[in-house]
Amino acid sequence: MADLNIIRQHILNNGIDYCHFTLAQYINRSIPEASELCLWLAVLVNLEIDQANVCLDIESVSEKSAAWGWREIPGLEQLQNDIADCPVIGRPGDVRPLIADNGKLYLHRYFHYETSISQHLLARTGQQPLLVESQIKNIDSVFAAEQGDPEVDMQKIAAIVCSLHPLVIISGGPGTGKTYTVSRVLAILIQQQPDIKIQLAAPTGKAAMRLSQSIVKLHQRLGLDDAIQQRIPQQALTLHRLLAIDRYHHRPRYHQANPLDCDLLVVDEASMIDQQMMAMLCNALAPDARLILLGDKDQLSSVEAGSVFADLCGGLQSTGFNQAQRYLLAQAWQYELKLNQSTHALADQLVVLDKSHRFDASSAIGKLASTINRGQSHQCLQIMDNQDNNIQWLPMEDRRLAVALKQQADNVYWQMMQAADIDQAFALFHRYQILSAVWSGPAGVHNINTIIEQHLKLKSGIDQNLQYYQGKPLMVTRNVYEYNLFNGDIGIIWPDQDGELKIWFASGHAEYRVLSLSQLPQHEIAYAMTVHKSQGSEFEHVLMVLPFEDVEVLTRELLYTAITRAAKSLEIWGQADIITRTVERKTQRVSGLMQRLQLTATRP
């Protein structure tokens, strides 16, 4: 039996969360013959999960062990032999705490998630593309051709692919029309299959609500007849509600033995889906059900382990199809599309929308977004340094931050407190948003909110200990279904007609859900929010405040997500060296999913 004291002492000495020792302890009890190395490998894999990685590259074991101060690891060849002999580690098909496969180590359940996702998605590929005359007419009727437009309509391409395949992945940046495209796709599929059962879903309550509102508005704009309109769902669900995941045991009601009753599932903001949720979602779909995933491959990945949507996109930067699918589109619509030369198995089902209707590629924000995605830090600084565009860059210093934030509070939030009514207060709030990469530290959300709130209270003559006051913005931090409120929803404290302070949530144009302060759900102040919390939102003006020291969360995906929240103008506070490192640091989450979705991969 291994000496657990060695593992325990190492975990304590390095400030590692004690839950990792609990894992080692459990494995030691279950498999007494496990060595200290076996237990340490289990801890190391679990630490990777904490870093949002799905697994551990075996080649990196020595480097990562050294970083944690673990005793010397044998050379790679000997390590691989030790792993093969380790009673804790099995191969695919074995029931062991750890699984070794394709040069990676997994916790057993994460290996199961990954292989389950790949198996379910690959089962929806490989069919020969075929379009009948009625399908072509339906598509053409919804996508009326614009005379003289030489560009290929990528939204129409997406609709065509949705008609061809049971699995479609649509990736596009903000304003590229993902939801608009899907609204027309739904109309086409309903014409093709009038009795089709459709479900709409999203990872968060806020995203689900936005998807519902967008679909309803867009179909009204399209002028669809009542028969089609009535078959489109009016409400999107969170994935938790869709799958009926038990809040205590975290098990879904819907799974392979009890699949969802739907023929088509549309999931928005799919880049936010973690690996475990994606596995449950795939498992809950009937084998013949269609799945459409909408997201942005360049945005931040999920908070939890995995980068599923990016992996499904296979690293492809543009739309390209195999020869058979290219021939079909050329015959029916005279479209000449790029030949896909990758081995990505989902390439024929992937459409990248690359034309933004929020800001064009020649705008400053559009150019900045593109250069960030390409990792071109020098060009980013050049664009930001050009004072003639709608981007302002201030190389902020720590000692100047508080004064600068107070000026912003005077310009924006003081006006909000003095607004004539709640309509004006919300209008002012949605024009401007402060974003930060981190929660703690001088440039973190907590400190920014504290500085602004203390300044506003002092300027207004409000007691610093008073918790609620007119004009205070709050963000709900958990779903409260009985009030139809969701994690990320913004409310503003405002008096009712009797002068009593209430919390107001916008539910439509000049329509509000009003709760008493005693009904206020779990929340946090929202003068500033993290970039993660801002995903899916849009503001007229965004101020991005970068930390004064380099931290690992600063990646090009985070910066891209932050700046593309801005519809009109952008302000960035940060030192040039921090911006450079951020743009040059690409998120690298360790996973084997992309490898399993290759045509040449050995599929389990």
Side-chain angles (χ1 to χ4, degrees):
M1 181 177 287
D3 186 352
L4 273 177
N5 284 328
I6 295 175
I7 300 288
R8 180 177 180 275
Q9 197 59 50
H10 189 77
I11 285 173
L12 292 174
N13 291 345
N14 284 275
I16 298 173
D17 193 301
Y18 201 72
C19 70
H20 297 289
F21 175 71
T22 305
L23 172 67
Q25 197 174 34
Y26 169 77
I27 293 175
N28 192 58
R29 283 199 303 266
S30 306
I31 308 174
E33 63 271 27
S35 65
E36 285 89 357
L37 176 62
C38 290
L39 299 182
W40 171 245
L41 289 174
V43 170
L44 208 55
V45 174
N46 214 33
L47 285 167
E48 289 298 291
I49 303 296
D50 278 359
Q51 299 298 314
N53 294 313
V54 170
C55 52
L56 169 68
D57 271 321
I58 291 175
E59 290 185 356
S60 70
V61 167
S62 180
E63 177 187 348
K64 291 182 179 292
S65 295
W68 285 109
W70 184 254
R71 61 196 184 191
E72 187 176 352
I73 293 290
L76 181 58
E77 184 176 349
Q78 182 59 49
L79 177 62
Q80 290 171 333
N81 292 334
D82 290 343
I83 287 172
D85 295 335
C86 178
V88 172
I89 302 172
R91 296 292 176 184
D94 293 341
V95 181
R96 301 278 181 88
L98 300 183
I99 299 295
D101 188 39
N102 289 330
K104 297 177 176 64
L105 281 179
Y106 298 80
L107 290 183
H108 186 277
R109 67 189 179 102
Y110 282 91
F111 176 77
H112 173 73
Y113 295 152
E114 185 174 283
T115 54
S116 176
I117 293 168
S118 64
Q119 287 168 352
H120 278 92
L121 297 185
L122 288 170
R124 287 175 162 80
T125 67
Q127 69 179 46
Q128 186 69 21
L130 178 65
L131 281 174
V132 297
E133 187 66 28
S134 61
Q135 286 177 301
I136 295 173
K137 288 181 179 179
N138 286 341
I139 294 169
D140 285 340
S141 68
V142 174
F143 288 84
E146 296 184 15
Q147 296 298 324
D149 186 357
E151 292 187 10
V152 174
D153 186 345
M154 293 309 300
Q155 294 184 352
K156 185 173 181 178
I157 295 294
I160 295 168
V161 174
C162 287
S163 293
L164 289 171
H165 298 286
L167 167 67
V168 180
I169 302 148
I170 302 176
S171 176
T176 53
K178 296 186 292 293
T179 310
Y180 183 63
T181 302
V182 164
S183 68
R184 298 202 274 185
V185 166
L186 295 181
I188 291 167
L189 294 179
I190 289 170
Q191 290 179 47
Q192 294 174 6
Q193 185 183 341
D195 61 346
I196 189 171
K197 297 176 183 177
I198 302 169
Q199 286 272 22
L200 307 176
T204 67
K206 184 168 72 170
M209 182 178 67
R210 282 196 311 271
L211 177 60
S212 302
Q213 294 171 343
S214 298
I215 292 289
V216 171
K217 289 178 182 177
L218 288 169
H219 278 98
Q220 291 171 347
R221 281 173 53 192
L222 287 171
L224 302 175
D225 61 47
D226 291 341
I228 293 177
Q229 187 74 42
Q230 290 171 6
R231 293 193 174 277
I232 298 169
Q234 299 296 302
Q235 183 179 14
L237 303 176
T238 65
L239 292 177
H240 276 82
R241 292 194 80 180
L242 175 76
L243 301 177
I245 296 174
D246 185 277
R247 63 186 298 182
Y248 299 109
H249 303 292
H250 306 292
R251 288 192 289 267
R253 180 188 305 164
Y254 297 102
H255 43 72
Q256 194 167 10
N258 182 35
L260 290 165
D261 183 23
C262 75
D263 302 309
L264 167 64
L265 174 62
V266 177
V267 184
D268 197 12
E269 298 291 349
S271 62
M272 300 170 68
I273 303 176
D274 61 71
Q275 194 201 48
Q276 181 180 8
M277 179 61 76
M278 189 65 190
M280 288 193 289
L281 182 65
C282 288
N283 202 41
L285 283 174
D288 58 348
R290 291 173 174 267
L291 175 62
I292 299 176
L293 298 173
L294 310 175
D296 184 348
K297 61 183 175 56
D298 298 315
Q299 271 198 56
L300 283 167
S301 294
S302 60
V303 175
E304 304 298 329
S307 51
V308 175
F309 190 77
D311 288 345
L312 298 189
C313 292
L316 302 179
Q317 298 302 312
S318 60
T319 305
F321 301 136
N322 70 21
Q323 193 59 53
Q325 191 155 302
R326 289 176 72 242
Y327 178 77
L328 185 150
L329 268 66
Q331 288 295 303
W333 288 281
Q334 292 75 54
Y335 283 147
E336 291 294 335
L337 292 166
K338 186 179 73 174
L339 176 65
N340 169 55
Q341 296 181 318
S342 77
T343 58
H344 185 51
L346 306 184
D348 280 348
Q349 284 112 317
L350 170 66
V351 178
V352 180
L353 303 179
D354 50 12
K355 183 177 180 180
S356 176
H357 303 280
R358 182 182 299 179
F359 36 75
D360 61 47
S362 63
S363 73
I365 296 177
K367 285 182 178 179
L368 184 59
S370 296
T371 55
I372 288 172
N373 283 338
R374 293 194 295 268
Q376 297 171 328
S377 56
H378 180 68
Q379 289 88 333
C380 287
L381 294 176
Q382 286 182 325
I383 293 171
M384 290 163 52
D385 204 28
N386 181 0
Q387 299 301 315
D388 296 331
N389 57 41
N390 54 353
I391 300 175
Q392 292 185 326
W393 171 34
L394 181 62
M396 180 61 67
E397 298 175 357
D398 191 348
R399 59 186 176 82
R400 297 169 52 200
L401 179 64
V403 173
L405 286 172
K406 290 173 185 178
Q407 290 174 346
Q408 297 297 317
D410 289 341
N411 295 336
V412 181
Y413 299 114
W414 172 253
Q415 292 182 44
M416 197 170 82
M417 293 176 71
Q418 308 302 313
D421 52 34
I422 188 64
D423 292 344
Q424 188 181 40
F426 265 104
L428 288 168
F429 178 83
H430 287 298
R431 287 179 191 170
Y432 183 89
Q433 183 60 55
I434 301 174
L435 301 180
S436 172
V438 293
W439 175 255
S440 58
V445 166
H446 178 71
N447 190 50
I448 293 171
N449 280 327
T450 299
I451 290 170
I452 291 174
E453 181 169 46
Q454 288 178 351
H455 174 70
L456 291 173
K457 283 181 175 180
L458 185 64
K459 185 169 183 173
S460 306
I462 298 174
D463 188 326
Q464 289 290 340
N465 295 317
L466 185 66
Q467 187 174 7
Y468 301 116
Y469 51 88
Q470 177 175 312
K472 181 175 183 176
L474 298 174
M475 177 187 287
V476 175
T477 55
R478 68 179 180 88
N479 295 336
V480 187
Y481 296 112
E482 58 266 36
Y483 298 148
N484 201 28
L485 292 175
F486 305 102
N487 187 355
D489 282 352
I490 299 291
I492 295 177
I493 303 292
W494 202 260
D496 62 13
Q497 59 185 4
D498 298 322
E500 183 180 355
L501 287 179
K502 299 286 182 67
I503 179 72
W504 298 61
F505 294 92
S507 57
H509 180 65
E511 296 178 3
Y512 300 96
R513 195 176 304 110
V514 184
L515 303 178
S516 68
L517 296 183
S518 63
Q519 294 174 298
L520 189 58
Q522 184 177 306
H523 62 276
E524 59 192 36
I525 192 167
Y527 292 116
M529 67 177 71
T530 62
V531 177
H532 272 97
K533 288 286 189 181
S534 75
Q535 280 184 276
S537 300
E538 177 183 326
F539 306 95
E540 287 187 21
H541 178 86
V542 165
L543 166 60
M544 176 62 185
V545 182
L546 291 166
F548 299 106
E549 295 183 354
D550 190 28
V551 289
E552 286 190 7
V553 298
L554 289 175
T555 62
R556 71 178 65 160
E557 290 83 1
L558 181 136
L559 188 57
Y560 166 84
T561 303
I563 71 162
T564 53
R565 300 312 94 205
K568 293 184 178 179
S569 58
L570 171 70
E571 196 168 350
I572 299 175
W573 292 358
Q575 296 293 325
D577 62 326
I578 296 295
I579 294 169
T580 297
R581 292 176 194 173
T582 299
V583 173
E584 293 176 355
R585 180 185 291 123
K586 183 171 174 58
T587 300
Q588 299 288 347
R589 290 196 173 177
V590 184
S591 154
L593 182 57
M594 193 185 300
Q595 187 177 359
R596 296 181 194 281
L597 295 175
Q598 298 299 308
L599 293 170
T600 55
T602 302
R603 295 166 185 167

